[in-house]
Amino acid sequence: MDCLFCKIVSGDIPSKKIYEDDRVLAFYDIDPKAPVHFLVIPKDHIKNVLEIPSKKLDIVSHIFKVIQNIAVELNLNEGFRIVNNCGEQGGQTVDHLHFHVLGGRNLGWPPG
Ligand code: 5GP
Ligand code: ZN
C-alpha cells in the first residue's frame, strides 16, 4: 500500500522520532505550524477516525497516554492543542490516522 506514514513506520522514509513502542510512533511534523509540532500515529494502517474498528478503539486512549507523557517531557505545561483532521472537509492530507500536537505559542481559535 502506498501510504506515507506506513513508510515512516517501516523506516523507508526517515523521521525525527520522539517515541516508539509496539503500537504507536510519535515524530516531529516536517512542516511545523508551531514551535512544537509532532504527530502520533498507530503503527497499524487505519485511514482516519471514521475507519477505526470498534475493537481497535483502545489505540486512541493509548495515543492520548503517549501524548500526556511527551507533553510532560517537552515541558508543554502551559498548554497545547491536539488536532485530528478527518476526511476532505476536515483537511486530512495523509490518509493514515494521526493526531497533531501543537504547542509553544498561543494558538488561535477558531481554526480557519
Ligand atoms: P493532515 O493535513 O493530514 O492532518 O496532516 C498531515 C501532516 O503530515 C502535515 O502537517 C504535514 O506537514 C505532515 N507530513 C507530510 N509529509 C511528511 C513527512 O514526510 N514527514 C513528516 N515528519 N511529516 C510529514
Ligand atoms: Zn498507512
Side-chain angles (χ1 to χ4, degrees):
M1 190 198 309
D2 199 29
C3 171
L4 179 69
F5 286 176
C6 283
K7 287 179 185 159
I8 285 181
V9 169
S10 68
D12 291 343
I13 292 176
S15 67
K16 205 172 154 199
K17 281 180 200 173
I18 304 172
Y19 173 82
E20 181 174 18
D21 63 27
D22 55 329
R23 290 193 286 164
V24 303
L25 178 66
F27 56 98
Y28 285 104
D29 197 290
I30 204 167
D31 180 19
K33 312 296 188 296
V36 176
H37 184 182
F38 62 90
L39 305 171
V40 187
I41 69 171
K43 288 190 165 179
D44 267 4
H45 181 83
I46 297 170
K47 184 178 174 188
N48 61 32
V49 165
L50 287 172
E51 304 275 332
I52 309 172
S54 297
K55 58 176 192 244
K56 287 193 179 175
L57 273 169
D58 64 326
I59 194 67
V60 178
S61 57
H62 183 55
I63 285 172
F64 272 64
K65 184 66 222 174
V66 167
I67 290 173
Q68 234 178 29
N69 291 344
I70 297 174
V72 170
E73 253 175 57
L74 299 184
N75 294 311
L76 293 175
N77 43 295
E78 287 183 69
F80 56 90
R81 182 170 298 162
I82 299 170
V83 173
N84 172 260
N85 297 326
C86 179
E88 205 178 322
Q89 288 198 346
Q92 184 175 9
T93 60
V94 178
D95 282 344
H96 181 127
L97 181 68
H98 53 280
F99 292 85
H100 297 255
V101 180
L102 301 128
R105 66 168 169 85
N106 286 314
L107 299 160
W109 189 262

